[in-house]
Amino acid sequence: MKKIRVLVAKPGLDGHDRGALVIAQALRDYGMEVIYTGLRQTPEQIVAAAIQEDVDCIGLSCLSGAHNELFPAVVERLKEKGADDIIVVGGGVIPADDIPFLESKGIKKIFTPGTPTLETAKFIERAVYERDGYVPSEPFQMKQVAHIGIAVRSIEESLTFYKKILGLSLVHTETVESQNVKVAFLDGGNLYLELLEPLNEKSAVFKFIEKRGEGLHHVALGVTDIEARIRRLKEEGIQMIDESARPGAEGAQVAFLHPKSAHGVLYELCEKEG
Ligand code: CMX
């Protein structure tokens, strides 16, 4: 689903747009793309901008009392232009008595002062999804940390700390040739760590240590159906380092998300059999 686009518009002569700007920002924060027309727009100008910007919804704000003329005029102009699939909602200073009239004229919803902005955003989202016949899938929740990856210069030298000081047990070591790393897994019950030692200068872990020194390298999230998860992440615009799963340590299928798409954290999806 592409991002929902909304035109926030101020029809008519009133000169106050604080409320319109607040709602525009709230819709942006919710993840929508928002265009603001500026003050004192005619219905024709608003409809032209809405078509030009290919928006899903127009949010009209009117404080001047002329909503009963201006809001239906926008809906009429949309119909004339064959663009009445664009959803129109309104807000501002609107007496409760006027709401049924406006809704009968094709304004999908009137938001009265004090409506939480989140409610407005959710209403618009639902209306657009309904119009497009889009059924959003459940957000996929990451529930389990499979392991935490820690970059070290030498597994042998760091093991003393992990075993003697932290009391973890060494489960096994292996070499992942494709990644140019040697890894050691350490178990502490609810804590599972992967030490990563670069095999050579081509290793991503070598580059990491050169740049940042030893330390926390990645968080591996335990998942099922890893290919579906990757597809979903890509649909959401997340940049994947691995476009499809590849074999990782311990026989797992793994795929990394780019830290640039994940607020600076290198995440690994990790699917283990059984
Ligand atoms: N955590 C957070 N940020 C990281 C990072 C990490 N582990 N590694 C690199 N970055 C950041 C860098 O700081 C840099 O950010 P800035 O541009 O803001 O400075 C950016 O990512 C690019 O880093 P780079 O040094 O230019 O390195 P590359 O682009 O060559 O590679 C990355 C970065 C993440 C794509 C690469 O390290 C990679 O593919 N990693 C995944 C694979 C991996 O780590 N394999 C070893 C583990 C083996 C296993 O467990 O199987």
Side-chain angles (χ1 to χ4, degrees), residues 84-117:
D84 49 343
D85 59 325
I86 297 176
I87 293 156
V88 180
V89 298
V93 183
I94 298 181
D97 286 352
D98 291 348
I99 294 176
F101 167 76
L102 291 169
E103 289 181 348
S104 76
K105 291 289 175 192
I107 321 300
K108 187 112 183 140
K109 175 98 180 159
I110 296 294
F111 297 101
T112 45
T115 308
T117 51

Side-chain angles (χ1 to χ4, degrees), residues 147 176 179 181 183 194 196 203-205 207-208 211-212 216-218 241-242 246-249 254 256-260 264-266 268:
H147 62 259
V176 185
Q179 294 293 303
V181 284
V183 301
E194 179 187 29
L196 303 129
S203 164
V205 177
K207 267 180 114 178
F208 176 90
K211 206 166 169 181
R212 302 186 173 202
L216 279 180
H217 180 260
H218 67 264
I241 294 168
D242 303 291
R246 59 173 171 80
V254 304
F256 282 88
L257 282 67
H258 201 288
K260 286 200 164 136
V265 177
L266 178 60
E268 171 189 336

Side-chain angles (χ1 to χ4, degrees), residues 1-221:
M1 180 76 189
K2 65 174 180 59
K3 273 195 174 182
I4 293 173
R5 290 171 66 79
V6 182
L7 183 77
V8 172
K10 289 284 306 176
L13 296 177
D14 84 76
H16 300 280
D17 60 1
R18 213 171 66 87
L21 293 173
V22 167
I23 188 72
Q25 190 54 49
L27 297 180
R28 274 190 202 107
D29 292 345
Y30 193 75
M32 296 177 183
E33 280 169 8
V34 181
I35 302 114
Y36 174 50
T37 57
L39 289 165
R40 299 191 183 89
Q41 301 290 301
T42 63
E44 288 75 15
Q45 286 172 317
I46 292 168
V47 168
I51 293 171
Q52 161 125 25
E53 294 288 351
D54 191 20
V55 297
D56 300 290
C57 175
I58 301 174
L60 296 168
S61 159
C62 179
L63 307 177
S64 69
H67 46 269
N68 281 347
E69 293 79 51
L70 293 166
F71 288 9
V74 170
V75 175
E76 281 311 310
R77 298 295 99 77
L78 283 172
K79 281 191 190 141
E80 283 164 21
K81 299 278 180 198
D84 49 343
D85 59 325
I86 297 176
I87 293 156
V88 180
V89 298
V93 183
I94 298 181
D97 286 352
D98 291 348
I99 294 176
F101 167 76
L102 291 169
E103 289 181 348
S104 76
K105 291 289 175 192
I107 321 300
K108 187 112 183 140
K109 175 98 180 159
I110 296 294
F111 297 101
T112 45
T115 308
T117 51
L118 186 62
E119 197 177 300
T120 307
K122 288 195 161 168
F123 179 89
I124 294 173
E125 179 181 63
R126 227 176 14 251
V128 173
Y129 285 173
E130 263 170 39
R131 181 198 66 185
D132 295 350
Y134 174 75
V135 183
S137 45
E138 289 293 305
F140 83 92
Q141 202 185 1
M142 296 294 187
K143 288 190 175 156
Q144 194 200 345
V145 174
H147 62 259
I148 295 169
I150 294 169
V152 295
R153 285 199 175 82
S154 156
I155 286 178
E156 202 186 321
E157 282 171 22
S158 56
L159 269 183
T160 315
F161 170 77
Y162 284 101
K163 290 205 304 196
K164 286 225 174 99
I165 309 294
L166 296 192
L168 304 181
S169 319
L170 179 62
V171 181
H172 86 281
T173 56
E174 90 181 69
T175 297
V176 185
E177 296 285 353
S178 63
Q179 294 293 303
N180 297 300
V181 284
K182 182 177 168 192
V183 301
F185 284 95
L186 293 146
D187 193 6
N190 279 332
L191 179 63
Y192 204 57
L193 300 184
E194 179 187 29
L195 304 183
L196 303 129
E197 173 189 317
L199 285 178
N200 53 46
E201 296 188 4
K202 282 187 279 176
S203 164
V205 177
F206 179 84
K207 267 180 114 178
F208 176 90
I209 294 175
E210 285 292 289
K211 206 166 169 181
R212 302 186 173 202
E214 292 184 314
L216 279 180
H217 180 260
H218 67 264
V219 177
L221 302 163

Side-chain angles (χ1 to χ4, degrees), residues 234-250:
K234 288 201 300 202
E235 275 167 25
E236 298 287 349
I238 303 295
Q239 187 188 336
M240 297 298 300
I241 294 168
D242 303 291
E243 295 275 321
S244 63
R246 59 173 171 80
E250 292 196 313

